[in-house]
Amino acid sequence: PGQQGGVREARGTQDAFVLMLSPTGDVSAVADFGDPTADHQLGSATAFDLALNSQGEVYVIGSFSGQADFDPSAVTEVTRASVASSSDLFLVKLDSTLQFQSLVTYGNSGADSGLSVAVDAEDHVLLGGQFEQRVDWDPSEISTHELTSALRTDGMTVSSDAIFVRLSAEGDFRGAVRYGFSGDDTLSALRMSPTVSILLTGQFSDSGQWDYGAGSVPLTSTGTSDAFVVSYVFTPLDFGDAPRPYPTLISENGARHVATGPRLGQMRDE
């Protein structure tokens, strides 16, 4: 719609796009991500969700295979190639006019997809999706945080697991939680609530544990796969940069306090 519309041709077998409309429905800006190679037949990209931070910057999450250029400008390229022939997860940050800011990709030889993204009140970025096999969820080059998806009941092949990752406003790793049982599990959407809690929803199969703290919340699917909704409350007491969406033991050691027990992110003593 509008005079800024025009025609876009996919550069790969399938391209991802972001479309910004004015209050009257006219096109304000368009960004697309696709295959930069000469024959334009090697790559595909799909965007599944987007979120805005307090500055109006845009986070776009999805999956891609082959090669993709994530800089929507015609001047420069920011190209990534997926691992092997599988799909990888991408999270691209654009400014308020849909110009490229930064990119994070996650993947290995399995199929990995980013399905949902949200931004909290402090501009931390929360992302969810699914993955297979072993993936490093820390985007830095100096540290790692690898998680491995569960095995199926045959004990040999891997299933796909749900993944929840938290990054700082600057893109630094703050924590990751895997939800995975012997079947295929997916985190398809996540949202922040006004009560400073996070809501996760998706599907799971077979049986597993949903409380990663001191409690016990086992669930078993009654069908081939069941839907789930999980709510975690972020407690205001924090000895680091990561939230605690489940009970954490706080103990005193002399003049210092130590946070112990399962939590998102690395343990900090301050």
Side-chain angles (χ1 to χ4, degrees), residues 132-144:
E132 293 179 351
Q133 301 186 25
R134 180 183 293 271
V135 174
D136 177 16
W137 297 102
D138 186 342
S140 73
E141 297 181 355
I142 60 175
S143 59
T144 61

Side-chain angles (χ1 to χ4, degrees), residues 15-63:
D15 284 12
F17 74 91
V18 181
L19 179 65
M20 182 181 293
L21 301 177
S22 71
T24 59
D26 294 325
V27 175
S28 299
V30 181
D32 62 324
F33 320 119
D35 184 0
T37 58
D39 56 12
H40 302 295
Q41 297 297 318
L42 299 178
S44 66
T46 304
F48 291 104
D49 196 13
L50 57 79
L52 278 67
N53 65 14
S54 61
Q55 305 301 314
E57 297 167 322
V58 184
Y59 291 93
V60 185
I61 195 169
S63 65

Side-chain angles (χ1 to χ4, degrees), residues 38 50 52 62 78 88 108 124 155 182 204 206 210 223 233 235 262:
L50 57 79
L52 278 67
V78 179
D88 284 3
N108 206 328
H124 295 116
S182 57
F204 76 102
D206 292 333
W210 289 89
V233 177
T235 60

Side-chain angles (χ1 to χ4, degrees), residues 32 82 176 221:
D32 62 324
S82 62
S221 62

Side-chain angles (χ1 to χ4, degrees), residues 103-252:
L103 171 69
V104 175
T105 62
Y106 300 101
N108 206 328
S109 55
D112 314 300
S113 298
L115 301 177
S116 188
V117 62
V119 179
D120 68 15
E122 298 179 349
D123 280 345
H124 295 116
V125 183
L126 315 172
L127 58 102
Q130 65 181 27
F131 76 103
E132 293 179 351
Q133 301 186 25
R134 180 183 293 271
V135 174
D136 177 16
W137 297 102
D138 186 342
S140 73
E141 297 181 355
I142 60 175
S143 59
T144 61
H145 188 92
E146 294 185 338
L147 295 175
T148 303
S149 61
L151 291 175
R152 298 188 186 277
T153 53
D154 61 13
M156 299 177 62
T157 57
V158 296
S159 63
S160 63
D161 285 358
I163 185 67
F164 170 49
V165 180
R166 186 173 185 255
L167 305 175
S168 72
E170 295 75 29
D172 298 323
F173 179 75
R174 289 294 178 263
V177 174
R178 175 186 69 87
Y179 301 92
F181 317 121
S182 57
D184 291 328
D185 313 295
T186 303
L187 197 165
S188 56
L190 56 88
R191 292 294 183 267
M192 294 297 300
S193 78
T195 58
V196 198
S197 64
I198 180 74
L199 297 171
L200 313 177
T201 187
Q203 68 175 34
F204 76 102
S205 56
D206 292 333
S207 300
Q209 176 64 247
W210 289 89
D211 190 337
Y212 283 78
S216 177
V217 183
L219 289 178
T220 300
S221 62
T222 57
T224 305
S225 64
D226 284 10
F228 71 86
V229 178
V230 179
S231 175
Y232 293 116
V233 177
F234 289 173
T235 60
L237 182 60
D238 192 359
F239 285 80
D241 298 321
R244 281 184 291 279
Y246 32 70
T248 300
L249 173 64
I250 303 296
S251 61
E252 185 173 347

